[in-house]
Amino acid sequence: MSEVLSQNEIDSLLSALSTGEIEAESLVAVEEERKIKVYDFKTPNKFSKEHLRTLELIHENFARIISTYLSGQIRKSVKIKIETMQQFTYEEFIRNIANPTVLTIFRLFPLEGNLLFETNPDYVYQILDILLGGTGDKKFKSKEFTDIEKNIITRMNEGLISNLKLAWEDVLEVESEVVGVETNPALNQTLAPNESVALITFSVDLGKNHTFINLCIPFLSVEKILDKLEVQYWFRGRNEADKLESKTKIKERLNGVNIELTGVLGDSNINVQDFLSLKAGDVLTLNKKSTEPVKVKIMNKTYFYGKPGIIGKSRGIQVLDIIDKDVEENE
């Protein structure tokens, strides 16, 4: 606000102007440029960019974990990744999801309140079709879910949500508990309509279909741990002992994974008649010499060159070189 002059100060100023003691140009006020930022009180931004970035890092890890988990459950290759990470109001989130849908309400102790895990109908019907013996490739018509379908997908969602414990372990020790399931999002009154939420949308690539699932984290749930949602805090206090413990845990988990390893000695082309007449003791001529390296495949994909040999009383392959050293492409 501009300063208000008294009558005496005004008279003194006019007198100074008339005598030339003060130039009129010097009295021109230079208004400072004001930086105006638009703020909508209906949709307050409570999450900072730093908080959203940390949540994104946590749930990028969650996406990788549940990709592996879901692939194991349905015996098909699944790729899940974060598509968007945005801040909305709860009303905007509820208004923009399908009806019917499967909205799983759960707690993530010690966080406050309820969180929401939404799996849209396209995703749900595809998973149900595969679990019930189908291929999951056909198109599905939206309809109300039966009690059996809801029970099956609830069990599956409970497994997915339980993996949040692994995703959050670098920030906070958490435990999940499913509170309930709702198929009509309009009936769910978990939060106030104008409450700020962080909405993480995951894309799910399964077979020929591209679907989406959503994780809704209310601001109220993480308000008391906002200091831990800063990258500086996340990596603070990491010493060599912590790093060694993390490496040990990773090795232990990797040791429990079974993979199919195949060594391809070579190829041979024969006609159908010769194939049908094959018997034990027959010899096939391969297209490679015994001194040439063989290709080593993992899950039907070639990764290494190797040399076959004997290890004790067992046959084995010594890895000579990595065929594709681009780690990002192989992830």
Side-chain angles (χ1 to χ4, degrees), residues 13 28 108 135 158 180 187 194 205 239 250 265 284-285 289 306 321:
L13 184 59
V28 178
L108 197 64
T135 62
E158 283 178 353
L187 298 179
N194 61 345
D205 291 323
N239 51 35
I250 291 172
L265 300 178
L284 293 176
T285 303
K289 297 180 179 178
D321 195 12

Side-chain angles (χ1 to χ4, degrees), residues 184-216:
N184 185 353
L187 298 179
N188 184 61
Q189 302 297 327
T190 304
L191 297 170
N194 61 345
E195 180 60 40
S196 289
V197 298
L199 181 62
I200 309 168
T201 300
F202 301 88
S203 62
V204 182
D205 291 323
L206 174 54
K208 300 177 181 178
N209 292 346
H210 183 74
T211 57
F212 298 94
I213 57 179
N214 293 300
L215 180 62
C216 176

Side-chain angles (χ1 to χ4, degrees), residues 51 55 69 86 104 123-125 151 162 175 246 256 308 320 331:
H51 298 150
L55 287 174
Y69 174 83
Q86 294 177 293
T104 306
Y123 165 85
V124 172
Y125 289 130
N151 287 336
S162 67
E175 292 290 341
S246 298
L320 300 177
E331 283 185 342

Side-chain angles (χ1 to χ4, degrees), residues 198-265:
L199 181 62
I200 309 168
T201 300
F202 301 88
S203 62
V204 182
D205 291 323
L206 174 54
K208 300 177 181 178
N209 292 346
H210 183 74
T211 57
F212 298 94
I213 57 179
N214 293 300
L215 180 62
C216 176
I217 304 176
F219 178 79
L220 292 175
S221 296
V222 297
E223 186 175 12
K224 292 184 179 179
I225 62 156
L226 286 179
D227 58 329
K228 296 183 179 181
L229 294 181
E230 296 180 2
V231 175
Q232 292 87 345
Y233 179 90
W234 194 1
F235 294 102
R236 193 185 305 158
R238 292 277 184 115
N239 51 35
E240 292 301 320
D242 293 333
K243 292 179 181 178
L244 181 60
E245 183 180 359
S246 298
K247 288 180 180 179
T248 303
K249 287 182 178 179
I250 291 172
K251 287 181 179 179
E252 289 176 353
R253 290 170 184 170
L254 287 175
N255 285 336
V257 178
N258 294 321
I259 59 173
E260 182 182 342
L261 190 68
T262 306
V264 182
L265 300 178

